[in-house]
Amino acid sequence: MEKHLEAVAKSYDRHFISHGKEEDLRYDKLPDYITNDPDYLHKKKEQESDWEEVRLKRLVDYLSPSPEMNFIHLGCSLSLRFKGYDKWPSTYYGVDISAETIQHLYKYVAENRLPIGSLFCGSVHETPFAEGYFDIGDCVGVLEYYERDFVLKTIQEIHRLMKPGGKLVLDIPNITSPSGRVMMMVEEYMGRPDKFDMLPQEFEDMIKDYFDIVDSDRLCAESRGESYMGSMYYYFLRCKK
């Protein structure tokens, strides 16, 4: 697992180190074996839709950040800068495995004099924060890289961090969907293979002792008698303690 964590970190570091150079790996410069795959159109259609904006709105509406809240962003990437998290009234704490990402965020915070809590470079399954410190949390685009044993450790760590009744949004890959399969091909090409190996029902069984499921893409689709075909399942959770 240590080698895989290192590979994921180096892959994200490379976005900063090689950006604009010939060896830069980019989502809009994918190799033919991916773009010619018959399922690629499913993923392309998803990317061209407004699904990301819709998901972000659902996330904000559910978490309802307010000034008295501490917010933990696990696998934060550059969302503080590019997705409006710097406008949230809650106190921001970010965790990311990429040192280059964290350095970039420190620079952005300093230049804009943002009153955040802190930033931590490390894995989401071991963080330095106190037990029960956070009111709300976000762990999106993270669990896809790991197999079930590591996913369980991460869920247990997030549970440790959250206050009783704290609200969390996370996602997992839809490993049975065409767009989910292509997403995994893309991530492997980027040098950070997706290792997630659970169906949603298995994941739900795993987290039931730690979180209540308030809503999820699977449950929404099921209520309409449909099969969910998106690449990721979103979960809106409440901490059990």
Side-chain angles (χ1 to χ4, degrees):
M1 180 51 67
E2 289 300 322
K3 288 184 177 179
H4 185 59
L5 288 171
E6 184 179 347
V8 172
K10 286 183 176 179
S11 174
Y12 281 106
D13 285 346
R14 188 171 61 234
H15 281 288
F16 293 94
I17 296 169
S18 64
H19 181 67
K21 299 179 181 178
E22 187 174 341
E23 69 272 20
D24 187 11
L25 298 178
R26 291 165 37 189
Y27 289 103
D28 60 351
K29 271 194 338 184
L30 297 173
D32 290 345
Y33 77 88
I34 294 179
T35 58
N36 291 336
D37 188 282
D39 286 336
Y40 177 71
L41 291 177
H42 292 280
K43 183 60 179 171
K44 188 171 185 290
K45 183 178 179 181
E46 183 178 78
Q47 290 173 327
E48 292 173 348
S49 72
D50 63 351
W51 70 274
E52 188 169 1
E53 291 79 8
V54 170
R55 292 283 174 77
L56 182 57
K57 184 180 185 306
R58 287 178 68 195
L59 184 150
V60 175
D61 287 347
Y62 177 66
L63 295 182
S64 300
S66 59
E68 71 277 7
M69 290 181 173
N70 291 325
F71 167 56
I72 182 70
H73 195 182
L74 297 148
C76 58
S77 188
L78 298 180
S79 296
L80 183 67
R81 176 174 180 178
F82 294 115
K83 293 189 178 180
Y85 287 68
D86 54 345
K87 305 297 190 298
W88 287 25
S90 50
T91 303
Y92 184 94
Y93 292 79
V95 176
D96 202 278
I97 200 169
S98 163
E100 293 286 338
T101 296
I102 293 297
Q103 288 177 21
H104 184 92
L105 288 176
Y106 270 125
K107 182 179 179 181
Y108 178 72
V109 166
E111 288 176 348
N112 293 274
R113 299 181 180 180
L114 299 179
I116 68 166
S118 65
L119 300 168
F120 171 68
C121 181
S123 173
V124 294
H125 80 296
E126 292 179 340
T127 71
F129 304 111
E131 181 175 345
Y133 190 69
F134 296 100
D135 303 273
I136 53 176
D138 172 344
C139 184
V140 171
V142 176
L143 298 183
E144 65 195 80
Y145 298 118
Y146 307 112
E147 295 172 335
R148 65 185 65 207
D149 288 347
F150 189 88
V151 170
L152 177 58
K153 289 179 182 178
T154 301
I155 292 297
Q156 291 170 335
E157 174 65 0
I158 300 173
H159 181 261
R160 183 187 73 80
L161 296 175
M162 301 300 295
K163 292 180 179 179
K167 294 189 288 187
L168 172 72
V169 177
L170 59 74
D171 66 354
I172 62 171
N174 183 358
I175 61 176
T176 63
S177 75
S179 56
R181 188 181 73 83
V182 171
M183 181 191 71
M184 289 182 163
M185 293 171 62
V186 171
E187 291 300 300
E188 184 166 9
Y189 167 70
M190 293 290 180
R192 45 180 187 260
D194 282 348
K195 299 287 188 179
F196 194 87
D197 57 355
M198 285 184 281
L199 295 172
Q201 294 88 341
E202 295 176 282
F203 175 73
E204 291 163 18
D205 285 342
M206 172 184 285
I207 68 173
K208 65 184 180 182
D209 292 334
Y210 306 99
F211 294 94
D212 287 317
I213 299 173
V214 177
D215 200 3
S216 76
D217 291 321
R218 187 182 77 80
L219 294 176
C220 286
E222 188 178 83
S223 69
R224 298 190 299 265
E226 300 172 357
S227 296
Y228 182 73
M229 299 305 291
S231 60
M232 305 293 291
Y233 287 102
Y234 268 58
Y235 284 88
F236 301 81
L237 308 176
R238 190 175 292 275
C239 182
K240 286 180 168 181
K241 282 190 179 177

